[in-house]
Amino acid sequence: MPTSDVPDVSVVVIVYNDEERLPRAVRSILDQTLNNLEVIIADDCSTDGTERVARSLEASDPRVRYVRLEQNSGGCSAPRNRGIAVARAPHIMFLDSDDELPRHACKSLLLVAEETGVDFVTGEVTRLFEESNTTGLWYPHLFTEKRVVNGIAERPEYFFDHLSTNKLYRTSFIRDNALTFPEGIHYEDQLFSAQAFSLAETFAVVPWSVYTWRLAPESVSISSSRHKIQNVADRIGVARLIDTWFEENGRGELRAEKDYKFLRHDFRLYLGDLPFRDTDWVAEFADVVNPYLDEISDETYARLSREERICIHLLRTGRLDDLQVAARQLGRPQLAPRFATEEGEATYWGAVAPTDDTSRAALDISEWYMREQVLATGRIRHELTSVTMRGPVLHLEIHTYDPAGLITEDTQASVKLAAHKTPLTVPLTLHPEGDGQYVSKAALDLRKVPVGKVGVATRRHPVVALERDGARRTDILLAQHDQPDFRATVTYHTFGIHHLRVRAEQKGAGRLEVTWQRSGVLKSLEPLGPYARKAKGKVGKVRKILVGNEGKATAYDAVSKLPRKRSLAVFEALEGRGYADSPRYIYEELKRRNLPIDVVWSYSGDRSSFPEDVTLVRRGSFAYGRALARATYWVDSHNLPYLYPKPKGTRYLQTWHGQTFKAMGFDVPSLRGASDIEKGRFRAAVGRWDALVCPSAEFERTFVPAFEVSADLIRSGYPRNDVLVRWAEPEQQARAAEVREALNIPADKKVLLYAPTFRDAARRTGQSVRVDFEALAPHLSDEWIIVVRTHPYDRFKIAPELGHFLRDGSSFADINDVMLASDAVLTDYSSLMFDYANTGRPIVLYTDDYEAYKGGDRGTYYDLEDIAPGPMVTTTEDLAAVVRDLEGTQERHAQRYARFQEMFCSYETGHASKMVVDAFFEGGTHE
């Protein structure tokens, strides 16, 4: 055969009775950007129209070949092995007929294979959930960067990547090692992949998706058949085959890593299902798995989470009822056990303290610090003991378990159910029933659940909300897996007919679930088919013109031509996120002076931080545009939306929201290299400013030219920093005390505020939180509480086992609240350090990624080593040592701290609010 006739890649598509989806899978290969490939359709002796469809595909493209097994094998192995036998290309891939390959998969994998010379290349898998049209990634932490691995012993975590379909193999590697898929057993991928990983001298990893795994709503695949005991036996069987192969091929040292993968992935799936199985099934499950579990080493079990170890101990000791209770906690760290028992200084899972050393070690949950938790982060459990339905009214009886003692007499409780935006809220009265237990009842009238003007088609889960002293939490409501399935028809509006279904969720934690389905006229409004979708698109364009930015801009332009309302001012802080920042303190100074100015505040979400007497308008609404169009004054801390040019006669005060360590404005390469249109929009937005508040000469040197500011400069310091300069005054001390009380800070503990900035390329990922709190807690938790306040562009959730040491400071709209309550601050590159220096309190910098941050796309104005007002630490040990010796640390950095204050706090006097109001408002004419 001429070399030119040899394809670069053979893709083996296995199929059985799948005539409808096969063409889609094959098309995803033929449409690859790599053209020189072959498609081998390996048919496991289908009995439907698959052969006809496959032969049609073969006739339509010379790259397609069809092979058919003589008899059905009942699995995936035989057709894949047939594909391996007939493949002509030097590289081979596998595809299931119900899945697809992303368009660049073959070419991108082949390029890496040729570049590296590895035995195979593996890449990320996108899991497409067809019912919701959402996607998820397969073990994304394994595919964060491109790398070459010198054998599985170097990176044994890749045993978790046990799929065969997300890989491109050298065909000679498979054939030379006589690698085949085991026939007559399910989960064949696991043995094949374990062998491939173990035999490969090198393999490569790529961080992009190379396979689309489509998950149908009512899948009947092998992996969705975990309710069958034979399915469990197959998993155990494959695990034993892998163990045998390791032993026979001199790779016994890999057994522990494979066992860890087995426990964390394969076995973990069944544990999560146990709450939804009957007692006979659980007993049979225990009989099948326990002999294999007995062969796994204690060292491997020690690597599991505490929740997993508890479940496995209960399983192996025959406490199967307790096992089903414990299994609901897996992956749900705020879900409490029903009972916890204290004995001496130890706390144990369950209603009775264990009597033997093995049980004590397995059930010891002292590390959860349950009695030291606060309401917001502690563990609690709400279970339904009864669910009935009378007409459209759902009657619930709830048993609440509170082994941590989070609930007190003044705790308010309610059940909330939302279908659209606003939830239905029904108060609960918690009646004590034994130590740490409460019972309550609620009647949810489903007719009263808001569903919007055109109804909803959605699935939602009621939650139990608890609130005390400003602290709030919501928790899932656990249903009994065998509770009755209820249905009802509800009319919300004149034509608002909905069919409702109430049942127990048969996955995850097993929540109570309510499903709404439109009916009648509302159902007919749902577009069907391509013509309806096209009509919907036209309607969407009309809607965008009328109520989108185009409509808002037109309305704004019309109103802005009217005379200004001279007494009206629009205030906005943090892009509407709350009552905070410098606009708050300017507003309060206006009130103190009783100036005749009517202030409207914009908000973008939660309104709870605003005083009750404040007039509010939703940011981006038509009312917001009308207010801006009529106002004489705009006061803002970020930059009002570009959509609104400043009307003639309006004056705009820009307070900005912090000094600059990282590059800003036209000093940022992305803006400097942007189109003229984008740069023009930026200049026009900044050109609206009439006055800019300045905190220091450094701010003038960096920020002002970077933004090409032409506005008048008010050299007053930041109004928001007045309270920090005057932190020792009684008013600020009282405010700090209120914050400590709201956060449940014990009187004998000091507060370290941790406030990292966001990373441009990793917004809302939590990656800005660099400190290892779990490792830090043993060093500091006896003296300190850390209040974590991430940037609004990021997110972070406190693990319950760290609730004794950490508090979430994100509920305070004004960060000054937590700064005043703190004894020191821990940050990295955040502009908060410039503000905090006004207090004179210690500043510590955790900078383990400084080189990456400094060398990023944006760049910085300073080398942090040159200006840092405190120590720069990069390890947990160094951080602990610095915090334990803050007094000495501050003495050693006193001169640097003073120089820092001189550079960045030079205009701060504690009277900035007065100076700004004098400069911008006083002297004008007010109606």
Side-chain angles (χ1 to χ4, degrees), residues 627-666:
L628 288 173
R630 297 297 311 278
T632 297
Y633 305 105
W634 292 353
V635 180
D636 159 56
S637 71
H638 274 64
N639 214 350
L640 294 170
Y642 288 8
L643 183 66
Y644 307 105
K646 189 183 66 175
K648 184 177 180 180
T650 297
R651 299 184 66 225
Y652 186 171
L653 171 64
Q654 177 58 252
T655 69
W656 206 242
H657 52 277
Q659 300 198 60
T660 54
F661 174 72
K662 57 190 173 188
M664 301 288 284
F666 285 103

Side-chain angles (χ1 to χ4, degrees), residues 804-817:
H804 68 295
F805 180 48
L806 305 182
R807 300 289 188 272
D808 185 356
S810 63
S811 62
F812 297 92
D814 192 343
I815 197 171
N816 279 351
D817 289 328

